[in-house]
Amino acid sequence: MEARLNMGMRERDKLHAIRNVLEGRITQAEAGKILRRSERHVRRLCARVRGKGDRGIVHGLRGLPSNNRLDQELLGQALSVLHNPRWKGFGPTFAQEKLDALYGLELGVTTVRALMLLTNLWEVHCHRAKHRAWRERRACVGMLVQLDGSPHDWFEGRGPWCVLIIYIDDATSRILYGEFVHVEDTLTLMRTTKTYLKRWGRPVAFYVDKDSIYNINRQAAVEEELRDEQPMTQFTRAMSELGIEVILAHSPQAKGRVERGFLTHQDRLVKELRLAGISTMEQANEFLWKVYIPDHNRRCEVDPADPVDVHKPLLASHDLASILSIQIRRQVQNDFTIRHRNRFFQLQEGQPVHVRPKTEITVQERLDGSLHLIFKGRRLKFHTIPGRSLRPAPVRPSQRAQAMAPLKPRRRRANPFFAAFSLASSKAPWNPPASALLQS
């Protein structure tokens, strides 16, 4: 029984033209024009069909291993590495880079992807395209810096759950600064921003999301409207004092530089930390600053449209310790005390500025944990006092006996107007005669 021969449409058309040549219906030159091949190739095909029949049209290597296939030993080494538990979750591109860097196995990304799909180490991901409006990159470095944090299990259970703070330049996709922190709050962001400002200077604007650290979701109060002010968070207020604009993004896709970067970091950085055996935040920060960020910038950084760096230097008047602090308004009481977070502070005599009761002063909680009272730009002298007792003062025994004594009945004063109508009067009440009632 003859084996079944599978041919495609192009091969069937080619066989039809060659049969016409062999049967003398057309010439070899005409078949060459139909097939867009030379006459020599047509003669070659005719010889194959005479010798092998219809199978002569099919390529001779169909169903056979390729002559250019990779060494099976090399593929076996790559598969043994990919099946290592430490390589769990690696994507084809990242796995190809690490196979070349760590083991010297030179394979293409498509080859590694095919191996991983064949051994169920990778699945095909279908991405649905969503419509987004394109935004042009800023022209210069420092014109727009995207800032965000990503809480994640960066150590895969080997260490504490932490947050990665990233500052990335919009013009170049360069990571300007990054740090692992315990929590993403106002004080932590002020501390990391202080490090960024000392290293690079003041950018034109920070691009952030609508987290409560950056945005207050309420209307302006009456006092703020009278001063023509909008409610600001502590971070936004600090950036305003430094002349840095804070721009709020309306969607995660709007600040895609940093958002897409976190997808990469949660994939690659997690595996890099696993391969390096890192399980503490201190070691992770050292690896981040010395290895990961330089390598990331080398691969992903692009040239800006304008090579000018527009970061502005810090001025001598910029007291970062004072600006990057939590500032709360408090009122001076009549006894020259201040209450703040259930603590009491006594203002001392001899202040550098005149302070009166009912004056509002600023309480600064700085990054080093210290507390300062500021009025008209000057620091006030104060000391902590014990809190006032909220319980009533103890009652003395004599006061308790006096309080428990029965009350004496009050004697009402006699009113001469009502004396005649008193029921206690000895005189009988006056009753008018019946004739008087009838006449009325």
Side-chain angles (χ1 to χ4, degrees):
M1 182 176 179
E2 187 177 357
R4 182 175 180 178
L5 181 63
N6 295 325
M7 294 195 314
M9 182 182 65
R10 295 179 62 184
E11 292 173 332
R12 291 197 302 268
D13 294 343
K14 187 185 300 183
L15 178 62
H16 179 72
I18 297 301
R19 284 293 183 188
N20 288 334
V21 172
L22 295 178
E23 293 175 1
R25 295 190 180 96
I26 60 175
T27 63
Q28 295 179 357
E30 293 173 342
K33 293 180 180 179
I34 295 173
L35 300 179
R36 296 182 180 180
R37 295 290 185 270
S38 64
E39 293 185 29
R40 177 180 294 181
H41 187 67
V42 171
R43 287 194 293 272
R44 190 182 300 117
L45 292 176
C46 291
R48 288 184 190 174
V49 172
R50 290 194 192 97
K52 299 181 180 180
D54 294 348
R55 187 177 294 277
I57 292 295
V58 181
H59 197 281
L61 290 178
R62 175 179 289 185
L64 299 178
S66 172
N67 293 330
N68 297 322
R69 64 177 177 174
L70 294 173
D71 186 8
Q72 296 299 314
E73 183 179 356
L74 178 65
L75 298 179
Q77 293 177 2
L79 282 176
S80 62
V81 174
L82 293 174
H83 279 83
N84 192 317
R86 296 178 62 191
W87 288 65
K88 181 180 178 181
F90 275 60
T93 303
F94 192 41
Q96 183 269 338
E97 294 178 4
K98 287 302 173 183
L99 286 173
D100 187 10
L102 299 180
Y103 299 95
L105 302 178
E106 298 182 359
L107 297 173
V109 177
T110 54
T111 302
V112 175
R113 183 175 183 272
L115 286 175
M116 298 178 70
L117 288 173
L118 187 63
T119 55
N120 297 326
L121 293 177
W122 184 251
E123 296 180 357
V124 178
H125 295 77
C126 298
H127 299 281
R128 295 183 179 180
K130 296 182 180 180
H131 177 267
R132 302 291 178 192
W134 178 77
R135 177 182 65 84
E136 188 177 3
R137 290 175 180 265
R138 297 300 173 94
C140 303
V141 176
M143 188 172 290
L144 182 68
V145 176
Q146 299 189 16
L147 165 61
D148 200 6
S150 174
H152 188 67
D153 187 12
W154 296 100
F155 304 113
E156 301 175 301
R158 303 186 307 274
W161 187 285
C162 56
V163 180
L164 176 61
I165 304 293
I166 288 293
Y167 297 74
I168 186 170
D169 181 61
D170 183 76
T172 61
S173 296
R174 181 197 309 171
I175 297 180
L176 301 178
Y177 183 68
E179 183 179 350
F180 285 103
V181 297
H182 291 286
V183 64
E184 183 184 6
D185 57 8
T186 301
L187 287 175
T188 302
L189 280 169
M190 285 184 175
R191 181 179 58 80
T192 56
T193 303
K194 182 179 181 179
T195 305
Y196 173 88
L197 294 174
K198 288 184 175 180
R199 180 174 301 182
W200 294 96
R202 295 175 296 146
V204 177
F206 279 129
Y207 202 23
V208 298
D209 53 26
K210 291 186 177 181
D211 191 88
S212 59
I213 300 175
Y214 315 108
N215 181 45
I216 295 180
N217 190 18
R218 66 170 176 83
Q219 297 294 331
V222 177
E223 296 80 3
E224 294 170 337
E225 289 183 350
L226 293 175
R227 295 193 299 265
D228 195 18
E229 296 177 353
Q230 292 296 324
M232 293 192 299
T233 63
Q234 295 287 341
F235 184 86
T236 307
R237 186 265 316 155
M239 296 302 102
S240 177
E241 294 183 17
L242 291 170
I244 302 174
E245 183 183 3
V246 177
I247 303 176
L248 301 178
H250 297 293
S251 66
Q253 290 78 13
K255 51 186 185 66
R257 303 268 184 274
V258 67
E259 293 289 349
R260 291 192 302 271
F262 279 131
L263 295 178
T264 303
H265 306 325
Q266 291 177 4
D267 178 33
R268 293 192 170 213
L269 181 55
V270 168
K271 298 174 179 63
E272 292 276 15
L273 296 176
R274 184 199 309 166
L275 295 177
I278 294 175
S279 58
T280 64
M281 289 178 53
E282 292 75 13
Q283 296 175 346
N285 282 324
E286 287 292 327
F287 181 84
L288 185 69
W289 299 330
K290 295 182 179 180
V291 179
Y292 185 78
I293 290 181
D295 179 68
H296 178 276
N297 291 339
R298 177 182 56 80
R299 291 185 294 103
C300 303
E301 182 180 354
V302 300
D303 295 330
D306 192 335
V308 178
D309 189 342
V310 296
H311 279 96
K312 298 168 289 187
L314 291 171
L315 304 180
S317 59
H318 290 148
D319 185 5
L320 294 183
S322 175
I323 296 174
L324 298 175
S325 63
I326 303 297
Q327 299 185 8
I328 303 175
R329 305 286 292 178
R330 288 292 180 262
Q331 190 179 78
V332 179
Q333 303 300 318
N334 291 332
D335 55 358
F336 289 89
T337 58
I338 298 292
R339 181 173 181 175
H340 176 67
R341 301 191 189 277
N342 290 330
R343 297 173 61 191
F344 293 88
F345 306 99
Q346 178 70 63
L347 297 180
Q348 302 175 5
E349 292 183 327
Q351 299 291 348
V353 291
H354 184 62
V355 182
R356 295 179 179 179
K358 308 303 179 183
T359 300
E360 284 194 350
I361 66 174
T362 302
V363 181
Q364 291 183 358
E365 298 178 356
R366 300 194 174 183
L367 298 178
D368 58 1
S370 62
L371 190 140
H372 300 269
L373 305 183
I374 307 297
F375 181 60
K376 293 183 178 180
R378 306 293 293 275
R379 294 170 56 179
L380 304 180
K381 295 179 290 184
F382 68 96
H383 63 271
T384 306
I385 59 176
R388 298 170 180 148
S389 176
L390 299 179
R391 296 181 179 179
V395 181
R396 291 177 298 186
S398 58
Q399 295 177 342
R400 185 180 296 108
Q402 183 179 1
M404 297 300 294
L407 298 177
K408 295 181 180 180
R410 296 181 61 183
R411 296 181 62 183
R412 296 179 179 274
R413 290 185 179 182
N415 193 327
F417 179 77
F418 293 102
F421 303 97
S422 176
L423 296 178
S425 175
S426 59
K427 297 180 180 180
W430 177 74
N431 293 323
S435 60
L437 294 175
L438 293 173
Q439 293 177 358
S440 59

Coordinates of all heavy atoms in Angstrom, one line a residue, residues 36 79 115 127 132 148 181 183 198 224 262 289-290 301-302 308 316 323 327 334 336 354 383 386 389 412 416 435:
R36 N 8.1 30.9 -12.1 CA 9.1 31.9 -11.8 C 10.4 31.2 -11.4 O 11.0 31.6 -10.4 CB 8.6 32.8 -10.7 CG 7.4 33.6 -11.1 CD 6.9 34.6 -10.0 NE 5.8 35.3 -10.4 CZ 5.2 36.2 -9.7 NH1 5.6 36.5 -8.4 NH2 4.1 36.9 -10.1
L79 N 18.5 22.5 29.3 CA 17.3 22.0 30.0 C 17.6 21.6 31.5 O 16.8 21.9 32.3 CB 16.8 20.8 29.2 CG 16.0 21.1 28.0 CD1 15.6 19.9 27.3 CD2 14.8 22.0 28.3
L115 N 12.3 25.4 23.9 CA 12.7 24.4 24.9 C 11.7 24.5 26.1 O 11.3 23.5 26.6 CB 14.1 24.5 25.3 CG 15.2 24.1 24.3 CD1 16.6 24.4 24.9 CD2 15.1 22.6 24.0
H127 N -1.8 38.8 24.9 CA -1.9 40.2 25.4 C -3.0 40.9 24.5 O -2.8 40.9 23.3 CB -0.6 40.9 25.4 CG 0.5 40.3 26.2 ND1 0.5 40.5 27.6 CD2 1.5 39.5 25.9 CE1 1.5 39.8 28.1 NE2 2.2 39.2 27.1
R132 N -4.3 53.5 24.0 CA -3.7 54.5 24.8 C -3.2 55.7 24.0 O -2.8 55.5 22.8 CB -2.5 53.9 25.6 CG -2.8 52.7 26.5 CD -3.7 53.1 27.6 NE -4.1 52.0 28.4 CZ -5.0 52.0 29.4 NH1 -5.7 53.1 29.6 NH2 -5.3 50.9 30.0
D148 N 7.6 56.3 42.2 CA 6.6 55.3 42.7 C 7.2 54.3 43.6 O 8.5 54.1 43.5 CB 5.8 54.7 41.5 CG 4.5 54.1 41.9 OD1 4.1 54.3 43.1 OD2 3.9 53.4 41.1
V181 N 12.8 49.8 51.2 CA 12.4 50.4 52.4 C 11.3 49.5 53.0 O 10.7 48.6 52.4 CB 11.8 51.8 52.2 CG1 12.9 52.8 51.7 CG2 10.6 51.8 51.3
V183 N 8.3 50.5 54.5 CA 7.0 51.0 54.2 C 7.1 52.2 53.4 O 8.0 53.0 53.5 CB 6.2 51.2 55.5 CG1 6.8 52.3 56.3 CG2 4.7 51.5 55.2
K198 N 20.2 65.4 47.1 CA 21.7 65.7 47.3 C 22.5 65.1 46.2 O 23.6 65.6 45.9 CB 22.1 65.0 48.7 CG 21.5 65.8 49.9 CD 22.0 65.2 51.2 CE 21.6 66.0 52.4 NZ 22.1 65.4 53.6
E224 N -8.7 78.2 53.8 CA -7.8 78.0 52.6 C -8.3 78.7 51.4 O -7.6 79.3 50.6 CB -7.7 76.5 52.3 CG -7.0 75.7 53.4 CD -7.1 74.2 53.2 OE1 -8.0 73.8 52.5 OE2 -6.2 73.5 53.7
F262 N 8.4 48.2 37.0 CA 8.2 47.4 38.2 C 7.8 46.0 37.7 O 8.2 45.0 38.4 CB 7.1 47.9 39.1 CG 7.6 49.0 40.0 CD1 6.9 50.2 40.1 CD2 8.7 48.9 40.8 CE1 7.3 51.2 40.9 CE2 9.1 49.8 41.6 CZ 8.4 51.0 41.7
W289 N 22.4 49.2 44.1 CA 23.1 50.3 43.8 C 24.4 50.0 42.9 O 24.7 50.7 42.0 CB 23.5 51.1 45.0 CG 22.4 51.6 45.8 CD1 21.1 52.0 45.3 CD2 22.3 51.8 47.2 NE1 20.3 52.3 46.4 CE2 21.0 52.3 47.5 CE3 23.2 51.6 48.3 CZ2 20.6 52.5 48.9 CZ3 22.8 51.9 49.6 CH2 21.5 52.3 49.9
K290 N 25.0 48.9 43.2 CA 26.3 48.6 42.6 C 26.2 47.7 41.4 O 27.1 47.7 40.5 CB 27.2 47.9 43.6 CG 27.6 48.8 44.8 CD 28.6 48.1 45.7 CE 29.0 49.0 46.9 NZ 29.9 48.3 47.9
E301 N 18.7 52.4 28.9 CA 18.7 53.8 28.8 C 18.7 54.2 27.3 O 19.4 53.6 26.5 CB 19.9 54.4 29.5 CG 20.0 55.9 29.5 CD 21.3 56.4 30.2 OE1 22.0 55.5 30.9 OE2 21.6 57.6 30.2
V302 N 18.0 55.3 27.0 CA 18.0 55.9 25.7 C 18.6 57.3 25.7 O 18.6 57.9 26.8 CB 16.6 55.9 25.1 CG1 16.0 54.5 25.0 CG2 15.7 56.7 25.9
V308 N 21.1 68.4 27.6 CA 21.3 69.3 28.7 C 20.6 68.7 29.9 O 19.4 68.2 29.8 CB 20.7 70.7 28.4 CG1 20.8 71.6 29.6 CG2 21.5 71.3 27.2
A316 N 21.6 77.7 49.2 CA 22.0 77.7 50.6 C 20.8 78.0 51.5 O 20.8 77.6 52.7 CB 23.1 78.9 50.8
I323 N 12.6 71.7 55.8 CA 11.6 71.6 54.7 C 11.1 70.1 54.7 O 9.8 70.0 54.6 CB 12.2 72.0 53.4 CG1 12.6 73.5 53.4 CG2 11.2 71.7 52.2 CD1 13.4 73.9 52.2
Q327 N 5.0 69.1 59.3 CA 4.8 70.4 59.9 C 3.3 70.6 60.2 O 2.4 70.4 59.3 CB 5.2 71.5 58.9 CG 6.7 71.5 58.6 CD 7.1 72.7 57.8 OE1 6.4 73.6 57.6 NE2 8.4 72.7 57.4
N334 N -3.1 80.0 77.1 CA -2.9 81.1 78.0 C -1.7 80.9 78.9 O -1.1 81.9 79.4 CB -4.2 81.4 78.8 CG -5.3 81.9 77.9 OD1 -5.1 82.6 76.8 ND2 -6.5 81.7 78.3
F336 N 1.0 79.5 78.0 CA 2.1 79.4 77.2 C 2.6 77.9 77.0 O 3.7 77.6 77.1 CB 3.3 80.2 77.6 CG 3.1 81.7 77.4 CD1 2.5 82.5 78.4 CD2 3.5 82.3 76.2 CE1 2.2 83.8 78.2 CE2 3.2 83.7 76.0 CZ 2.6 84.4 77.0
H354 N 8.6 87.7 69.8 CA 7.6 87.9 70.8 C 6.4 86.9 70.5 O 5.9 86.9 69.4 CB 7.1 89.3 70.8 CG 6.1 89.6 71.9 ND1 6.3 89.4 73.2 CD2 4.8 90.0 71.8 CE1 5.2 89.7 73.9 NE2 4.3 90.1 73.0
H383 N 10.5 73.2 76.8 CA 10.8 71.9 77.4 C 9.5 71.1 77.6 O 8.4 71.7 77.7 CB 11.5 72.1 78.8 CG 10.7 72.8 79.8 ND1 10.7 74.2 79.9 CD2 9.8 72.4 80.7 CE1 9.9 74.6 80.9 NE2 9.3 73.5 81.4
P386 N 4.9 67.2 82.1 CA 4.0 66.1 82.2 C 2.6 66.5 81.8 O 2.2 67.6 82.0 CB 4.1 65.7 83.7 CG 4.6 66.9 84.4 CD 5.5 67.6 83.4
S389 N -3.7 66.0 84.3 CA -4.6 64.9 84.7 C -6.0 65.1 84.3 O -6.5 66.2 84.4 CB -4.5 64.7 86.3 OG -5.4 63.7 86.7
R412 N -40.9 79.8 100.5 CA -41.4 80.7 99.5 C -41.8 82.0 100.2 O -42.5 82.0 101.3 CB -42.5 80.2 98.7 CG -42.2 79.0 97.9 CD -43.4 78.5 97.1 NE -43.0 77.3 96.3 CZ -42.6 77.4 95.1 NH1 -42.4 78.6 94.5 NH2 -42.3 76.3 94.4
P416 N -48.5 89.2 98.5 CA -49.8 89.7 99.0 C -50.9 89.6 97.9 O -52.1 89.6 98.2 CB -49.5 91.2 99.3 CG -48.3 91.5 98.6 CD -47.5 90.2 98.5
S435 N -78.7 83.7 91.4 CA -79.3 84.8 90.6 C -78.3 85.5 89.8 O -78.5 85.9 88.6 CB -80.2 85.7 91.4 OG -79.3 86.3 92.4

